[in-house]
Amino acid sequence: MDRRSFVKLAGAGAASAVAGLGLTACVTQAPSAPTGDVRSYSAVGQPAVSFDYNVDVLVVGSGMAGLSAAMLPVESGLSVLVMEREDLLGGESYESSGVIRVCDTQLQKQAGIGQSPSAFWQRNKDSYLKAGLTLANRAESMLKSAPEWLDHLVDEYGASFADPKSYKQDGPVDILVSFSGLGDTEMIMLPLRDKLAEKGVTFTTEHECVALVRDGTGAIAGARFTSGKAGTVDVRARAVVVATGGYGANQLMVHANNPDQELLGCCSRLSQGNALSLCSSVGAATADLNVSIMVASDVPDATWWGMFAPLINVSPAGKRLAREDDASATAEACVADELGFWWSIFDNQMSEGVQSASAAKVMTKRADRLVGPCDTVSDLAAAMNIPADALEATMEAFNKAMEKKKDEEFGRELQMKSLKAPYYALKQFPVRSSSRGGVMTDEECRVLDELEKPIGNLYCCGTAAAGSVEGLSTCGSSGFIAGRTVVADLTGKE
């Protein structure tokens, strides 16, 4: 689907609230105009403040984190305004693979999958610590809150996911995929957006947040936005939630914090690090900025193919690179070995399997990078410009390991099946994905200063915050946590 159709799919009521025509066009739930003296308010590095609107909760950013942060506040009767820089809602989340790493949800329990959040954390925490993540407690709290967020997303907002029974045989037990499969976030995010609008959330697009507003005590009291259509817009809010994404596409920030990754491209142009600039300007601390940014394939769907069907990832020389049932292992190996690209070799088990829709979409969209079908490994090698003997040796070793159900070379555990002709191969390139460092928060998503004390009325979630390490999962769950904290802080209700 063309992403530009995103705002056109809502019902009539929601459409008028998210049409993206500027703040004044949000007619269904327009924020109230503030009253009173504003001389005590200031925006860092900006001219005098003159508030245009007044709300209880202002959410900056409309990806999965921002939309999830709006849930509990609007359900608690608070007025909520979500403001987005781009001309469409959804942010990076809408362009993602749609995979959510989570366990112990009702959907998984109904499918007979019973892994607990604690077991999930124990299984994965070493990889986070190995990467240098110091805020492991934040990552842990986000991952353990993910099941509650996901169940709420399904029960209250109508998000639709594929039945885990369809892929639990030889497949992953700790992920959920959109109802339509890999690469589709529509069945998750469209119902969420529409239900939020029905409940009273106001949305506006094409407004870039350029400064946070403070009152006379130094507490956050709103934010300033600029818009090509509306000019400067000041919004007063009792709570501001910053959910503007990471900094992986900001080349200056990458150069300063992750210089060994600055020559890599980025999977999205949207991760510009706005949250770091905004929150740092009011004294927020940052953490783990020097932790390497996650790397992945520039074809998001294909990153996850190895969990749903057998495939082998090989270097330009035909050598196997890493375990294929780990979404980031091959990209990381490609970067570590200073390779420009890799090939994913697959067969009809992928193109006709449970993720056949994803395979068909990628094979059509990336036809210029696809070779096959090939009836022999020799033909495949020729099409890939790889020596036939090298690829044949790699394929033979892989198939033997799969037949034995034991991958001694890399430790693959899922989809332990041999490949059979006809063969296909897809060329992929490593790119920067989610940054793991960001604004420092406590476990309730309150932004902290250099003394690790909360900055009044300011919250941060998603990849904008340090410790958000698992894509949509920790984006959504941290947004949910932020929303819950806002409700508690503003109403006194837990």
Side-chain angles (χ1 to χ4, degrees):
M1 174 184 173
D2 184 348
R3 185 179 183 273
R4 300 196 63 81
S5 300
F6 183 55
V7 298
K8 299 178 182 179
L9 298 179
S16 60
V18 298
L21 300 178
L23 196 59
T24 55
C26 298
V27 296
T28 57
Q29 295 289 335
S32 62
T35 58
D37 188 1
V38 298
R39 287 176 293 180
S40 63
Y41 294 89
S42 62
V44 178
Q46 296 284 321
V49 172
S50 178
F51 287 118
D52 300 279
Y53 296 104
N54 183 61
V55 295
D56 292 319
V57 183
L58 170 63
V59 179
V60 186
S62 68
M64 186 64 79
L67 296 185
S68 296
M71 289 178 176
L72 296 181
V74 74
E75 291 171 27
S76 298
L78 299 172
S79 58
V80 181
L81 170 62
V82 176
M83 300 191 78
E84 168 60 46
R85 178 187 64 187
E86 299 298 311
D87 61 345
L88 297 174
L89 301 174
E92 286 183 77
S93 300
Y94 190 81
E95 299 175 341
S96 72
S97 64
V99 171
I100 297 179
R101 293 204 68 186
V102 66
C103 58
D104 204 40
T105 65
Q106 290 301 315
L107 288 171
Q108 289 162 312
K109 290 176 181 177
Q110 292 165 10
I113 299 172
Q115 187 180 31
S116 71
S118 295
F120 176 85
W121 170 250
Q122 290 299 320
R123 180 173 178 175
N124 290 279
K125 71 173 184 178
D126 287 346
S127 64
Y128 308 139
L129 297 175
K130 183 179 179 181
L133 195 72
T134 62
L135 300 181
N137 59 322
R138 278 120 172 120
E140 182 177 7
S141 66
M142 293 178 199
L143 288 168
K144 289 186 176 180
S145 295
E148 181 185 4
W149 159 71
L150 197 288
D151 288 342
H152 198 72
L153 190 64
V154 172
D155 295 341
E156 190 67 27
Y157 292 88
S160 298
F161 294 90
D163 188 344
K165 290 180 182 178
S166 67
Y167 54 79
K168 75 172 186 176
Q169 182 75 26
D170 298 321
V173 298
D174 58 4
I175 71 171
L176 289 177
V177 184
S178 174
F179 181 82
S180 300
L182 290 169
D184 170 47
T185 57
E186 296 158 30
M187 302 297 285
I188 304 172
M189 298 192 73
L190 295 184
L192 172 58
R193 180 206 61 186
D194 293 351
K195 284 290 186 181
L196 287 172
E198 288 178 14
K199 292 175 184 292
V201 173
T202 303
F203 298 89
T204 192
T205 57
E206 297 183 88
H207 283 69
E208 180 174 7
C209 188
V210 294
L212 295 172
V213 175
R214 291 188 287 196
D215 63 18
T217 71
I220 301 303
R224 167 164 288 176
F225 297 81
T226 60
S227 168
K229 297 178 180 179
T232 298
V233 175
D234 292 337
V235 179
R236 184 159 65 186
R238 297 169 63 198
V240 176
V241 181
V242 178
T244 57
Y247 66 89
N250 187 312
Q251 202 67 15
L252 292 177
M253 289 185 179
V254 174
H255 175 75
N257 299 296
N258 315 98
D260 58 327
Q261 295 181 295
E262 63 181 319
L263 295 182
L264 289 174
C266 186
C267 65
S268 172
R269 64 175 178 81
L270 301 179
S271 50
Q272 293 292 334
N274 305 67
L276 289 172
S277 302
L278 290 169
C279 295
S280 295
S281 72
V282 296
T286 59
D288 291 342
L289 295 184
N290 62 342
V291 173
S292 292
I293 299 170
M294 296 180 70
V295 292
S297 166
D298 66 331
V299 185
D301 292 22
T303 293
W304 299 89
W305 278 3
M307 289 189 174
F308 295 94
L311 59 79
I312 178 171
N313 291 332
V314 302
S315 71
K319 180 181 178 181
R320 190 177 174 210
L321 286 170
R323 59 182 298 172
E324 296 83 4
D325 58 353
D326 183 315
S328 59
T330 299
E332 291 172 353
C334 192
V335 172
D337 292 347
E338 299 183 339
L339 304 174
F341 64 90
W342 77 90
W343 291 98
S344 288
I345 301 172
F346 58 97
D347 62 12
N348 287 342
Q349 294 174 87
M350 181 69 233
S351 60
E352 298 176 2
V354 67
Q355 294 299 336
S356 58
S358 170
K361 181 177 69 174
V362 170
M363 293 168 75
T364 300
K365 185 176 181 179
R366 301 292 186 178
D368 58 327
R369 297 197 202 167
L370 184 72
V371 300
C374 297
D375 291 328
T376 67
V377 176
S378 178
D379 290 342
L380 181 67
M384 297 165 65
N385 196 28
I386 291 176
D389 57 347
L391 189 59
E392 286 171 349
T394 298
M395 291 279 284
E396 182 180 3
F398 176 83
N399 284 340
K400 285 183 178 179
M402 297 303 103
E403 290 167 3
K404 293 179 180 179
K405 306 297 182 185
K406 188 173 184 180
D407 181 12
E408 295 180 350
E409 186 175 12
F410 292 112
R412 179 183 181 127
E413 297 177 351
L414 305 180
Q415 301 297 336
M416 305 288 282
K417 304 169 187 174
S418 301
L419 295 176
K420 300 177 182 179
Y423 304 109
Y424 303 83
L426 176 71
K427 182 184 287 188
Q428 300 177 66
F429 297 86
V431 292
R432 297 189 299 258
S433 180
S434 298
S435 49
R436 291 183 274 201
V439 177
M440 181 180 284
T441 69
D442 63 16
E443 292 187 33
E444 285 72 46
C445 295
R446 299 180 184 92
V447 174
L448 303 178
D449 63 17
E450 295 291 348
L451 298 178
E452 298 192 16
K453 294 184 179 180
I455 297 175
N457 310 328
L458 184 61
Y459 310 80
C460 186
C461 56
T463 51
S468 184
V469 294
E470 279 297 348
L472 291 181
S473 176
T474 45
C475 282
S477 62
S478 66
F480 193 72
I481 293 169
R484 182 170 59 203
T485 305
V486 165
V487 171
D489 289 350
L490 296 189
T491 70
K493 299 177 182 178
E494 295 293 338

